[in-house]
Short mmCIF file of all heavy atoms in Angstrom, two decimals:
data_model
loop_
_atom_site.label_atom_id
_atom_site.label_comp_id
_atom_site.label_asym_id
_atom_site.label_seq_id
_atom_site.Cartn_x
_atom_site.Cartn_y
_atom_site.Cartn_z
N VAL A 352 -64.58 159.77 73.71
CA VAL A 352 -64.43 161.15 73.27
C VAL A 352 -65.02 162.06 74.33
O VAL A 352 -66.14 161.85 74.78
CB VAL A 352 -65.15 161.37 71.93
CG1 VAL A 352 -65.00 162.82 71.49
CG2 VAL A 352 -64.59 160.46 70.87
N GLY A 574 -29.97 173.44 58.75
CA GLY A 574 -30.34 172.48 57.71
C GLY A 574 -29.60 171.15 57.83
O GLY A 574 -30.13 170.10 57.49
N LYS A 624 -59.89 177.31 76.49
CA LYS A 624 -58.47 177.54 76.72
C LYS A 624 -57.85 178.35 75.57
O LYS A 624 -56.91 179.12 75.78
CB LYS A 624 -57.70 176.21 76.84
CG LYS A 624 -58.10 175.33 77.99
CD LYS A 624 -57.08 174.24 78.26
CE LYS A 624 -56.49 173.57 77.05
NZ LYS A 624 -57.47 172.97 76.14
N TYR A 732 -38.11 194.26 82.39
CA TYR A 732 -37.93 193.17 81.42
C TYR A 732 -38.17 191.79 82.03
O TYR A 732 -37.98 190.78 81.35
CB TYR A 732 -36.51 193.21 80.83
CG TYR A 732 -36.35 194.19 79.69
CD1 TYR A 732 -36.15 195.54 79.92
CD2 TYR A 732 -36.38 193.75 78.37
CE1 TYR A 732 -35.99 196.43 78.88
CE2 TYR A 732 -36.22 194.63 77.32
CZ TYR A 732 -36.02 195.97 77.57
OH TYR A 732 -35.86 196.84 76.53
N ILE A 800 -52.39 188.98 84.57
CA ILE A 800 -52.58 188.20 85.80
C ILE A 800 -54.02 187.71 85.92
O ILE A 800 -54.28 186.56 86.29
CB ILE A 800 -52.18 189.05 87.03
CG1 ILE A 800 -50.66 189.29 87.03
CG2 ILE A 800 -52.61 188.37 88.33
CD1 ILE A 800 -50.20 190.28 88.07
#
Side-chain angles (χ1 to χ4, degrees):
V352 179
K624 298 195 318 303
Y732 277 81
I800 292 172

